[in-house]
Structure formats: C-alpha cells, structure tokens
Amino acid sequence: MFEKPDFMDRINRENRGGLLLGIDLGVSYAQISLCPGEGPAPVSVKSRPEGEVYSFPALLALYRNRYYAGYDAETIAQLPEAVSFENVFALAMEQDMVMAGGRNYNTWELLHHFLRLSLQLAQGYGRPDRAGAVMFTTYLPQDPAKQERAYKILARATGQLFSKKTRMYLQTRQESLFHFFLNDQEKLWKSNVLIFDYQKEGMTGWYCTVEGNTAPWSVHFTPLVPEKMPRLPSLEERAQRGQELDGAFYGFLRQFQDKPYHLTWLLGDGFKGDWAVQSLDLLLDNGRVFQGNNVYSQGACLTLMQMEDEEAGSDYLLLNDTDIRYHIGLNCRRQGLLTENLAEEYIPVFQAGTHVGRCHDRIYVLPDQGEDLIVLAQSARDGQMKRLRVPSGELADKPLGENRLMVEFDFLNLSTLRIQVTDAGLGNLVPGSGRTVTETFTLD
C-alpha cells in the first residue's frame, strides 16, 4: 500500500472499529463492498434491485439542478436538457475543471456528488457516513505522483461524506487482489494465477506468480495487455462477434502454454455472455476458472480487516513490477544515542515491496575511527544476504562518538542502489568537512 501523505496521517490518527467500506473506482465503472468492523466476510452492495449486479457506471448526470449517478444517470442523460459526465474519477485525475452546457465545473465537486449518491446504495447495510475506515481501490498504476494527486482529489471529494474520525486509504487493484486471494478460504495462493479484467475501456490483466523459496513467500504481479482485444462491445455485438473475440483471446492465452498456472479469474462485464468458448476450454485444461465483478471492492474491505487486526501477520509479501525486491538496512550506531552507550543496532532503511520511486532516504550514523559502512541487502525471493561495503573509513577520522556521517540511499532502478556518505560533523562544536564517498551497487 502506498504511504499516506501527512494530511492523511492526521485523518487516520483516531478511531478504530465501525463499518469498513471498500470502494473501487475504475475508469468506466465503480463498485462498493462493506463489512462491520468486527464482522464476517465483506458483502457487495447491489447497484440494481434485480439480479447479482454490483458494478455501476462511473457516470454523473445533472438535470434541473439535481444530480444523478450510476444507472439513474444513464436514464437521465437521455433527456434533452441533461448534462452528463462520464468516467468521473478518471476525469478528475486528468483535469481540474471541465466545461459542459456552457458552464465550468470543478471535477472534484463532480466526484463528490458521484460518491455521495453512490453511498446511498449502501444505506440499507449501515451508516456509511459513520464508517470506521474507507479503502479506495483504483485502476491507477503504482506511481507515486498519480497516487499523490488521487489522495488530494479524494480528500476534497469526500468532504462532509464521512465522520472526521473516518480513516481513509488508497491502494492499487493489485493490492486488492492480493488481499482477496490471501483471505480466500481455499488458500488459492498455493498456485500461480491468471487474472483478466474486461471493461468498457478494454482488457487488462496480470500474471500472478508465487515464489516460496523464503519466508514470507513473495507474490509478483506482472501486467498483461491483450492488445488485440477491442473496447468492450455491447451484449448484442458480443453475440455477433463472439467467434472473433474468442479467437483473439485464445491467441493471447496460447502465450502461456509454457508458464504454469492453475487458476484463472475473469473480471468485468466483458466476460458476460457465452463468447469465450474456445478460450474457456483452454483455461479449464489448466485448472479452475472463476468469474466475478466485485473482487476489487471486497479485496479493499479485506485489506482493512487485515489492518484492523494488529496482531495478524502474513506469510506472503506483495511485489509489483515497480517494487524493490530487497530489504535494505545496516548495523550501526546512529545519532540520538548517548555517547557512553553507542551499541550497534540494526537500522532498516527500505523494505522489499516498496515502490522504487519512494526509495530515497537518509540517516545519520556515528562510526568508530576508520570504520567503513556495511549495508545489508536481503533478497525477498531467496533470502540471500549481500554485504555491501562503502569505504567511508577515511571520513570517520575521530574517536567513537565524535564522528557523524550522513548516509543517503537512492534506488536508481529496481536493481541499482546508490549510497552516498558525507562527513556532516557534529554541529558548531565539530564542523564536518563536507567530503563524500559514493558507491553504486547492482543487486541483480
């Protein structure tokens, strides 16, 4: 999960328990699941009274100064005087203002109305406005800049929708899938998984692999983009073009003949209908196949349940394709300890599973005279430990407790770690020389 900005930390500082909400914000669709703070497995909120329909269009319509969302918005949008806004969350991510019907609208205000009306679907299950925690899951990649913008947009859009004590979080769909499978009663993490999501905007997916060479086991999500799959046709078009769609999907699946998988999940409205005949036979030859439209929001709820249980551990570690694969730390004496008690301790710097774009940090250490810096890098895949030596002993030219070195860590990419050590001194009493030593290590 992505680190929360300071303002999110302030929001989340208080309140435990209560209703837990999982909200998935896709490009063209959204869905809501919920569970009591100490209750059973999450339930998904129906978006229509009839049938098992959980997803609803990410559509907002304005008609005679009144807003409508979801399927109601689809109906209202057909009226001549109505103004409609498609893909509301995606619209807010792209721009701050939008013009429609000769008027400018703040996109975060549009998202506010969409969420306000969508939460009314959950009123039969409890009080969403008094939720203990809300987890938003989005289609966004694990990119710090985009996540930061999403945080700010959602913070504004959810104003007055929840209690001041409601804790708010944001995670990727991969993280929701991770917790969905992690809490599955059948323990499906024992095998690799193929996941495909076919929505209005097209098909995406992941090849999920599990490496059990060390504890915790590492789970990897590799993105898949079936480029030959078109944007989602209507049900009628799917019936007419079924053989064409099936052939394109089957051709893509053939790429996995040499890759082991024993489970497939088919998500999204695109898999409704009977068009994937040949493809489904191929998938069933390799194992079990499941279909669902509420997995992301349920996974968001399960993430919150895991967070609520402070004693709960996990035998699995999620690694996206943009996450580092090593635990980085060092044994050292650091600033803040009394000089007469400078015992070494292990200082963690980065944890495996952290987005590479967030792997920038600095610490201050108090070395002994002539002491080099030893950085420990442990692989999350096989547990192998590497000792990385930074020849900084020449900077530590004073007795124990009288040196202070600033150590800066930066991952330049997933496998390259740069470490820079600077003589920072001890303030005005012992000024630093400013001399530096820089080492770059290739871990893989």
Side-chain angles (χ1 to χ4, degrees):
M1 195 180 321
F2 288 95
E3 298 173 4
K4 300 178 294 298
D6 291 341
F7 68 86
M8 280 292 182
D9 283 329
R10 292 195 297 271
I11 291 174
N12 299 335
R13 198 166 291 159
E14 299 179 356
N15 194 34
R16 288 279 175 183
L19 192 70
L20 303 180
L21 284 175
I23 303 176
D24 177 54
L25 295 176
V27 175
S28 56
Y29 284 86
Q31 57 191 225
I32 300 174
S33 294
L34 51 85
C35 58
E38 299 178 356
V43 296
S44 296
V45 175
K46 291 184 178 181
S47 56
R48 282 182 167 176
E50 69 284 353
E52 300 297 315
V53 182
Y54 303 110
S55 298
F56 49 93
L59 178 69
L60 185 71
L62 177 61
Y63 180 68
R64 295 183 178 177
N65 296 321
R66 182 178 176 182
Y67 284 100
Y68 301 82
Y71 287 109
D72 290 340
E74 278 192 337
T75 302
I76 295 298
Q78 305 302 318
L79 300 177
E81 299 177 11
V83 177
S84 61
F85 307 90
E86 295 183 347
N87 308 339
V88 181
F89 175 69
L91 184 65
M93 285 297 300
E94 293 169 1
Q95 50 191 316
D96 297 326
M97 302 289 294
V98 63
M99 177 173 284
R103 174 186 163 188
N104 284 319
Y105 296 85
N106 288 317
T107 53
W108 68 266
E109 287 185 355
L110 298 177
L111 181 59
H112 169 85
H113 290 298
F114 176 78
L115 291 173
R116 173 179 60 83
L117 295 168
S118 299
L119 287 170
Q120 292 179 4
L121 297 171
Q123 287 181 345
Y125 301 84
R127 291 285 303 271
D129 59 320
R130 295 183 182 178
V134 182
M135 175 65 78
F136 287 98
T137 293
T138 76
Y139 63 91
L140 296 172
Q142 196 184 28
D143 178 89
K146 291 183 178 180
Q147 294 292 323
E148 194 75 18
R149 176 169 174 80
Y151 277 127
K152 293 177 180 179
I153 290 171
L154 289 170
R156 298 189 72 183
T158 54
Q160 300 181 348
L161 293 183
F162 302 110
S163 162
K164 291 182 179 179
K165 295 184 178 181
T166 300
R167 290 165 288 118
M168 294 174 53
Y169 304 94
L170 174 66
Q171 68 182 15
T172 65
R173 283 180 163 176
Q174 295 98 306
E175 290 170 302
S176 280
L177 290 170
F178 173 78
H179 283 92
F180 180 83
F181 292 138
L182 187 67
N183 291 275
D184 183 80
Q185 296 296 322
E186 300 185 39
K187 304 299 180 184
L188 298 176
W189 274 135
K190 294 180 180 179
S191 61
N192 297 338
V193 185
L194 272 180
I195 305 160
F196 293 99
D197 186 350
Y198 200 5
Q199 302 285 2
K200 184 177 180 180
E201 56 273 14
M203 182 182 289
T204 57
W206 298 274
Y207 178 48
C208 176
T209 58
V210 181
E211 294 185 13
N213 300 323
T214 185
W217 289 11
S218 58
V219 179
H220 306 259
F221 280 83
T222 302
L224 305 175
V225 183
E227 296 178 354
K228 294 184 178 180
M229 296 302 298
R231 290 171 60 89
L232 180 61
S234 65
L235 277 173
E236 295 77 12
E237 290 176 323
R238 272 174 262 173
Q240 298 171 1
R241 301 173 55 191
Q243 189 172 357
E244 174 191 345
L245 294 173
D246 194 17
F249 191 37
Y250 180 85
F252 183 79
L253 293 175
R254 290 289 299 271
Q255 301 177 27
F256 295 90
Q257 283 184 313
D258 299 328
K259 296 182 179 181
Y261 65 93
H262 305 287
L263 179 72
T264 304
W265 266 94
L266 304 177
L267 309 175
D269 287 342
F271 288 106
K272 290 181 179 178
D274 300 322
W275 60 267
V277 180
Q278 185 180 206
S279 302
L280 191 57
D281 286 342
L282 178 59
L283 293 172
L284 287 170
D285 286 341
N286 286 276
R288 306 169 70 183
V289 180
F290 294 87
Q291 188 171 353
N293 284 324
N294 56 349
V295 174
Y296 298 132
S297 57
Q298 286 210 0
C301 284
L302 291 167
T303 305
L304 291 175
M305 292 178 68
Q306 185 85 5
M307 294 167 63
E308 292 286 291
D309 186 357
E310 296 180 353
E311 298 181 357
S314 175
D315 295 328
Y316 298 88
L317 172 68
L318 172 62
L319 295 174
N320 289 296
D321 62 326
T322 52
D323 293 335
I324 62 170
R325 268 61 171 162
Y326 283 85
H327 303 290
I328 304 297
L330 68 162
N331 290 324
C332 68
R333 294 167 290 270
R334 61 176 172 175
Q335 184 180 12
L337 299 176
L338 296 176
T339 55
E340 61 267 22
N341 185 30
L342 289 177
E344 279 195 354
E345 61 174 319
Y346 176 77
I347 310 298
V349 181
F350 304 128
Q351 293 295 314
T354 304
H355 187 281
V356 65
R358 293 188 179 275
C359 289
H360 312 284
D361 202 359
R362 66 172 58 172
I363 64 173
Y364 290 89
V365 301
L366 300 172
D368 197 358
Q369 192 167 15
E371 181 180 11
D372 288 339
L373 188 70
I374 303 297
V375 177
L376 305 177
Q378 183 180 24
S379 172
R381 291 172 291 191
D382 58 17
Q384 181 181 355
M385 181 74 75
K386 297 182 178 180
R387 294 173 61 86
L388 312 176
R389 178 178 175 274
V390 182
S392 54
E394 63 182 52
L395 303 181
D397 55 2
K398 301 177 183 65
L400 181 62
E402 296 184 16
N403 292 291
R404 187 179 71 147
L405 304 182
M406 179 179 68
V407 188
E408 297 180 272
F409 299 83
D410 290 280
F411 264 92
L412 306 182
N413 52 49
L414 287 177
S415 59
T416 306
L417 173 64
R418 183 178 64 195
I419 302 172
Q420 180 171 291
V421 183
T422 304
D423 181 5
L426 290 169
N428 293 329
L429 294 177
V430 184
S433 66
R435 291 180 298 164
T436 64
V437 172
T438 303
E439 290 287 322
T440 302
F441 302 93
T442 301
L443 301 180
D444 292 329

